[in-house]
Amino acid sequence: MTIEILLVALILVFALIFFISGKLRVDVTALIVLCFLAITGLVTPREAVAAFGNPAVVTIWTMYILSAALVKTNIANMIGNNVLKFSGKSETSLIIVIMSFSGLLSAFMNNIGVAALMLPVVMSISRITGHSPSRLLIPMAFGVLLGGFTTILTTINLLVSDALRENNFTPFGLFDFTPVGIVVLISGILFMAFLGKRFLPKRNLVKETLGTEINLKDQYELQERMNALKVPDDSFLIDKSISEINIGTVTGLTVVAILRNHKTMLAPDPSTKLNANDVIIIEGRLDRLKEFRGWQNLQLEDNHSALNILISDEIKFAEVTVAENSSIINKSYYEINFRKNYRINVLAIKQGETLKRSHLASHIIQKGDVLLIRGKEEILEKLTSTSNFVKCRKVSKDDLEKQYSLQERLFIVKIAQDSTLIDKTLSKSRMGAVFGLHVVAIIRGEKIITMPGQDEIIQHNDKLVISCRKDDLDLLRGLQNLQFESESTAKIDNLESDQVGLIEVSLAPRSNVAGKTLRDIHFREKYGLQVIAIWREGKAIRTNLRDIELRFGDALLLMGKREKVKTLKADGDYIILSQEAPQILNKKKAPVSGGILLFFVFAVFLGWLPISTAALSAVVLMIITGCLAIEDVYKSIDWKAIFLIAGMMPLGIAIQKTGTADLVSAHILSLHNFIGDWGILILLYLLITAAGAFIPTSALVVFMAPIFISISQQLGISPYAIMMVLAVSASASFISPVSHPANVLVMGPGGYKFSDYTKVGLPLTIVVMIIGLIMISVFWPL
């Protein structure tokens, strides 16, 4: 083994580790691979970046644009929306027609785009026919994957064909995959319709109510978590708005309605003020509210000594300024978590002439902000040695009283003997979540804990020194005095009206909100809609929604004014499943875009133009004829996928140049005497299928293609046959949700678990392998 092969092996292992673990984005991993290969000289600088202009890569990104144009001009929608007309209402016929339409579209469109287009169509069919989405969505996703193999116009097939071109073989043509692909598609559809459906989950996710309409309230089991709280006549909450009382932050619950004078106000605006005898309908886990009521009977003590308690020889106050190039700029106070990451308390923030001392959690830090902080002296002195802070100035007690009026905002409360807060840590007590209320010290007998950590356990007879406004404590008492009403009061027959609706959405394939919380993206403020449940891996989450990181595959149940859905739809980060807001389409351009698509197909089929040139020409025609705006062109491209492919292509070159491909193929061929040519092909098929469950298939094809070519040369068999095996096996991404974005997309709306994909995908993989290999032997003999 040469040093070059060892280096290739190391970078390959690095890529696999990060692809499987997800510690780095796949496109970032690919770019690291590219740079490593260029720096070590395993590929030339020209070879390292040549992939960005590679005909296959150009064709891939142009197909994203053409797919978007077909959607925008209603061509794809016309096909998708006619599914029900051809299928009837039986489950078997629905599976056949849905998979057929999905396969037809994906033959000429990007697979992910087809899945995103068909998702709301299938959800609508589910509601109309009464069939659970869990019985239809996996077949739809699998139909997309099977149909994508039927022409060269999908990423996998383009990469396989390009590998042939790079090795001086004639690349596959537009319809060279069609004979094998059509038979595999039909076999897959028949299997799913008559046998595979037996493996699909039969969860009662959807319950029929009136006629055949499906009630989202029942699907997410909202009524099971509805509770009613009445505002007493003498409550401090009277004339306070919903946003002011902060009940969602305090309890992790969602206000879904207010009952007032025998009328129901659904999805009340945050600015809605409470009246005496209002009944607030909340949704979520009741134990959170009961836990919160453990705050009752906190005994307020004399606070004259509170400020003195916070100052000692060890603990000091200081002002620090946020540096111009600080990494915390544009992050919220909540995100930064000063106590955990910097071991300091932030008690106030000056922004220009404005002094902010309350509700700091949502404050967005800006350069030049002056923070009033408290901490150990050595910690304060080290802060300015970082790039985040400058100008650390100690603050005297006199300044604390005169400039910050800190004494007015310090309170000492004693833990009641029967309080449920006893034996809980400060973090689990959720004190920091309440109105920006912070425990800055604990008096425990004769001992004073000057800087309690989040894991500090509250004990019997502890006295907590709390920083907050007096009004915050009053609001706290007001919330504690809300009266529980009977279960019958909390039952609302209809959570929808002419103005207010329940809307189900999922994250779009290229959504920017994955990995972020609702709090991070300010969802309620941005869209005017509130999330009342998240469906994840077969379960509905209804509590603490603000702080849950969103994932691809999640389905979100929203409540709010129907008119607000247009804003959400225009964003592009979400797919509307309940079809509340039809997409704005340019239907007049449908004949034009259809004609351009035909031009593209015929130009490639008849050999007038290379496929990359024809695709690029079709994109230009779509733009100049007004079928797609230039802004939509850039939005439609999945740049993450493009950089992944272009970044991994140099690795394929290095695998071939260094002899790595020959070395690996020699080890595989050592089994040839025992299993023969077809045994080797079956082994390779299974290897690619298994690896595809964890590794992006496009990257897998890029670095496995040279090995497949080398094996074909050493065995003396047709390179077209073995590359067709690579294409079929890489396209058979059925056995896990992470095998392909189309699988992830349907996970939340279908209520699927990881194992559901394996149960139905594994037998389908075997069927596709058998049929695919037989068809390859017929149309592409060894």
Side-chain angles (χ1 to χ4, degrees), residues 146-216:
L146 290 168
F149 175 69
T150 57
T151 68
I152 199 176
L153 302 178
T154 51
T155 300
I156 298 300
N157 293 357
L158 285 166
L159 292 174
V160 165
S161 180
D162 185 69
L164 287 170
R165 183 184 63 82
E166 289 288 337
N167 285 274
N168 300 316
F169 295 103
T170 303
F172 287 121
L174 178 62
F175 294 112
D176 282 349
F177 293 90
T178 304
V180 176
I182 287 292
V183 177
V184 169
L185 173 62
I186 294 172
S187 302
I189 291 172
L190 294 176
F191 170 80
M192 289 298 299
F194 296 102
L195 291 176
K197 67 178 183 180
R198 301 174 185 271
F199 302 104
L200 291 169
K202 296 181 179 180
R203 300 192 186 94
N204 190 20
L205 299 180
V206 192
K207 302 175 182 177
E208 296 183 10
T209 51
L210 301 174
T212 56
E213 287 296 322
I214 290 172
N215 193 325
L216 287 171

Side-chain angles (χ1 to χ4, degrees), residues 70-72 74-82 117 121 583 585:
L70 294 177
V71 172
K72 193 71 175 178
N74 204 41
I75 293 286
N77 298 62
M78 286 191 294
I79 298 173
N81 290 331
N82 282 302
L117 169 74
V121 173
Q583 188 174 6
L585 301 174

Side-chain angles (χ1 to χ4, degrees), residues 77 109 259 294 298 303 352 392 441 447 461 481 521 619 630 659 732 748:
N77 298 62
M109 291 176 60
L259 307 183
L298 288 177
N303 69 335
C392 182
K447 180 183 177 183
N461 285 331
N481 292 329
I521 60 179
V619 165
I630 191 68

Side-chain angles (χ1 to χ4, degrees), residues 375-428:
K376 291 183 178 180
E377 193 166 11
E378 62 268 23
I379 298 294
L380 301 183
E381 290 174 353
K382 291 179 181 178
L383 278 179
T384 53
S385 64
T386 70
S387 60
N388 288 323
F389 305 101
V390 294
K391 300 178 184 177
C392 182
R393 182 185 75 85
K394 292 182 180 179
V395 180
S396 66
K397 179 182 176 182
D398 189 52
D399 287 340
L400 291 173
E401 292 178 336
K402 291 181 179 179
Q403 293 185 28
Y404 291 96
S405 303
L406 192 58
Q407 181 65 44
E408 299 173 7
R409 305 179 63 83
L410 295 175
F411 299 90
I412 300 176
V413 294
K414 184 177 180 181
I415 300 294
Q417 193 169 1
D418 57 348
S419 174
T420 57
L421 297 177
I422 295 173
D423 293 330
K424 288 187 177 178
T425 64
L426 289 178
S427 60
K428 289 185 178 179

Side-chain angles (χ1 to χ4, degrees), residues 280-390:
I280 306 170
I281 306 299
I282 58 173
E283 193 270 333
R285 286 170 49 191
L286 188 60
D287 57 341
R288 275 296 172 86
L289 187 61
K290 290 179 176 176
E291 175 185 295
F292 165 69
R293 293 177 78 92
W295 283 58
Q296 280 185 314
N297 303 321
L298 288 177
Q299 301 166 13
L300 195 61
E301 303 223 335
D302 179 51
N303 69 335
H304 290 304
S305 61
L307 185 55
N308 291 328
I309 291 171
L310 299 187
I311 302 173
S312 67
D313 293 337
E314 186 182 14
I315 304 297
K316 303 294 182 183
F317 283 84
E319 288 180 341
V320 292
T321 303
V322 178
E324 187 172 349
N325 60 345
S326 174
S327 62
I328 67 174
I329 290 174
N330 293 327
K331 292 183 179 179
S332 70
Y333 173 95
Y334 177 84
E335 287 179 90
I336 298 167
N337 198 341
F338 286 98
R339 179 174 290 194
K340 178 181 178 182
N341 294 322
Y342 295 97
R343 291 182 290 169
I344 57 174
N345 295 135
V346 178
L347 299 167
I349 300 175
K350 286 181 183 178
Q351 197 168 64
E353 299 298 320
T354 304
L355 175 62
K356 192 168 186 177
R357 299 179 296 173
S358 59
H359 302 285
L360 299 181
S362 60
H363 178 83
I364 304 299
I365 300 295
Q366 300 295 336
K367 66 179 181 180
D369 280 1
V370 178
L371 314 182
L372 175 65
I373 62 174
R374 172 178 171 269
K376 291 183 178 180
E377 193 166 11
E378 62 268 23
I379 298 294
L380 301 183
E381 290 174 353
K382 291 179 181 178
L383 278 179
T384 53
S385 64
T386 70
S387 60
N388 288 323
F389 305 101
V390 294

Side-chain angles (χ1 to χ4, degrees), residues 25 193 322 430 606 641 730:
R25 283 171 47 126
V322 178
R430 293 178 56 79
L606 298 176

Side-chain angles (χ1 to χ4, degrees), residues 466-483:
I466 296 174
S467 170
C468 67
R469 298 181 307 168
K470 178 66 165 61
D471 284 354
D472 294 340
L473 288 179
D474 291 334
L475 283 175
L476 175 59
R477 290 192 182 92
L479 287 171
Q480 290 170 334
N481 292 329
L482 288 172
Q483 300 169 358

